[in-house]
Amino acid sequence: MKHCGLTLLFLLISLFGWSQSQVQLKVQSGKLMNHYYMLIPEDDGSVIEVYSDFKTVYFLDSRHVIDESEESVIQMKKLWYDNEIEIQKLDTCDSIINNIRNVGLHNRTSNFLLAVARHHIGYDQKDFTHGLAESRVVDDPSKICFSKFSKLNTKWFSNQLDRLDSIRHEKQLRQEHFEAQSEISIKEANAFIRDFSHCTWDFKSLLLIITKSPDSFLCAVNGLDENDFLYLKFKMKDASKEQNALEARKALADSETKTPRKKQLIRSLKKWRG
């Protein structure tokens, strides 16, 4: 049965007159987004890649290697027997193909970097996320072949990882600095609060500041506007899961600094019960 399917598959390709230097493209238009089905030649065979777009930003939805599996044959027949959708035969380095594949690859890489950043330096680390959005692999991804773009994208990815690791290292050094101090000044507490992101390193730094210098922390918090204060409380709820949260909570409660925000901060440091 598998060999029958493969025979049909290769007959289908032959009927199309498919060149090994061409990509076959079918575009399925939709109200909110379009879908792009590509049959792409590779050295050891061919693949089907399916992309979708939103406002010309492309995302890879799936990738199927054409082999002797029933699934691949079924996918192939399903896509290419639909005569209502026109087949375009384009060079593998055509600007349309370049743009879809290159932008799709770059989006996957960027999303992976954001996921790594969320874990190591916090999802709200603006320096990293803004830099990621502004930096480019190339100015015009439609003008460079996918094979070359992939190499440039790998180099770009490595540079972004170095940048992420540098930010993580700075946070680690800051935490070690607070750990070595017997007291933290209002100036340092204020600078930290305005740079505090949602990650373990900063959670530990926060608890060190509160435990060692609750008065400095409360004075710094009093300088926040209401929106920044609400966001701080939100992040402190996750800091409450850290080991020294109870000690920090007690330090706040024992502080003689009077502020209407103190009770709210103490509540934010109350460990969640799931």
Side-chain angles (χ1 to χ4, degrees):
M1 183 66 186
K2 287 184 179 179
H3 292 292
C4 291
L6 282 171
T7 302
L8 284 171
L9 173 61
F10 290 119
L11 277 173
L12 185 62
I13 292 172
S14 300
L15 286 170
F16 288 150
W18 185 39
S19 164
Q20 286 300 306
S21 64
Q22 287 182 324
V23 173
Q24 291 195 43
L25 172 67
K26 280 196 168 192
V27 182
Q28 193 171 35
S29 300
K31 290 182 179 179
L32 295 178
M33 61 176 61
N34 301 319
H35 295 282
Y36 304 82
Y37 304 95
M38 293 185 191
L39 177 57
I40 304 165
E42 291 193 348
D43 293 337
D44 54 350
S46 54
V47 298
I48 296 174
E49 289 184 352
V50 183
Y51 292 83
S52 58
D53 76 343
F54 182 72
K55 296 182 178 179
T56 68
V57 178
Y58 301 99
F59 301 92
L60 178 66
D61 296 331
S62 62
R63 190 175 194 271
H64 306 280
V65 178
I66 303 300
D67 54 24
E68 293 192 7
S69 71
E70 286 294 333
E71 183 182 353
S72 295
V73 174
I74 291 168
Q75 285 286 340
M76 182 70 173
K77 288 162 68 177
K78 189 185 295 182
L79 298 177
W80 264 261
Y81 276 151
D82 186 349
N83 294 322
E84 293 182 7
I85 306 174
E86 180 188 357
I87 297 171
Q88 301 178 54
K89 298 173 187 176
L90 303 170
D91 186 83
T92 51
C93 279
D94 185 273
S95 60
I96 295 173
I97 301 300
N98 290 342
N99 200 42
I100 295 172
R101 297 191 79 194
N102 293 345
V103 172
L105 174 61
H106 186 61
N107 281 334
R108 292 203 310 280
T109 309
S110 298
N111 288 338
F112 178 77
L113 283 167
L114 288 172
V116 174
R118 278 195 295 271
H119 179 72
H120 288 285
I121 60 173
Y123 57 76
D124 50 348
Q125 182 59 50
K126 294 177 182 177
D127 287 346
F128 182 75
T129 53
H130 286 179
L132 202 63
E134 290 172 2
S135 63
R136 295 170 178 264
V137 178
V138 293
D139 289 334
D140 188 350
S142 70
K143 292 183 177 180
I144 184 167
C145 295
F146 180 74
S147 56
K148 185 176 180 181
F149 182 88
S150 298
K151 294 175 183 176
L152 294 173
N153 189 71
T154 299
K155 184 178 179 181
W156 176 86
F157 172 72
S158 179
N159 291 338
Q160 300 309 311
L161 278 182
D162 288 343
R163 198 163 65 87
L164 190 155
D165 193 56
S166 175
I167 295 171
R168 182 204 59 76
H169 184 59
E170 287 175 8
K171 289 181 178 294
Q172 183 180 355
L173 289 177
R174 181 169 64 180
Q175 185 235 314
E176 290 172 356
H177 166 74
F178 290 145
E179 215 160 35
Q181 299 294 101
S182 58
E183 190 174 339
I184 289 97
S185 68
I186 296 174
K187 184 178 179 181
E188 281 187 308
N190 185 58
F192 171 79
I193 285 172
R194 296 179 186 280
D195 183 58
F196 168 36
S197 59
H198 196 276
C199 68
T200 298
W201 298 111
D202 282 357
F203 290 160
K204 290 177 179 177
S205 290
L206 173 74
L207 297 177
L208 284 167
I209 293 171
I210 296 173
T211 303
K212 293 185 176 188
S213 301
D215 296 324
S216 293
F217 175 73
L218 289 170
C219 287
V221 169
N222 275 339
L224 298 176
D225 64 31
E226 194 60 31
N227 286 335
D228 287 340
F229 176 60
L230 288 172
Y231 193 35
L232 173 65
K233 288 196 300 177
F234 168 75
K235 288 185 284 189
M236 283 178 67
K237 287 183 178 179
D238 276 344
S240 71
K241 300 170 186 175
E242 295 292 324
Q243 187 175 357
N244 299 327
L246 185 61
E247 190 178 349
R249 190 170 170 232
K250 184 177 184 306
L252 275 180
D254 292 343
S255 169
E256 294 183 1
T257 299
K258 297 185 183 297
T259 167
R261 290 180 167 180
K262 183 159 75 170
K263 286 185 178 180
Q264 296 179 58
L265 294 169
I266 292 170
R267 282 198 297 271
S268 292
L269 276 181
K270 185 176 182 180
K271 193 168 184 178
W272 288 355
R273 295 183 180 179

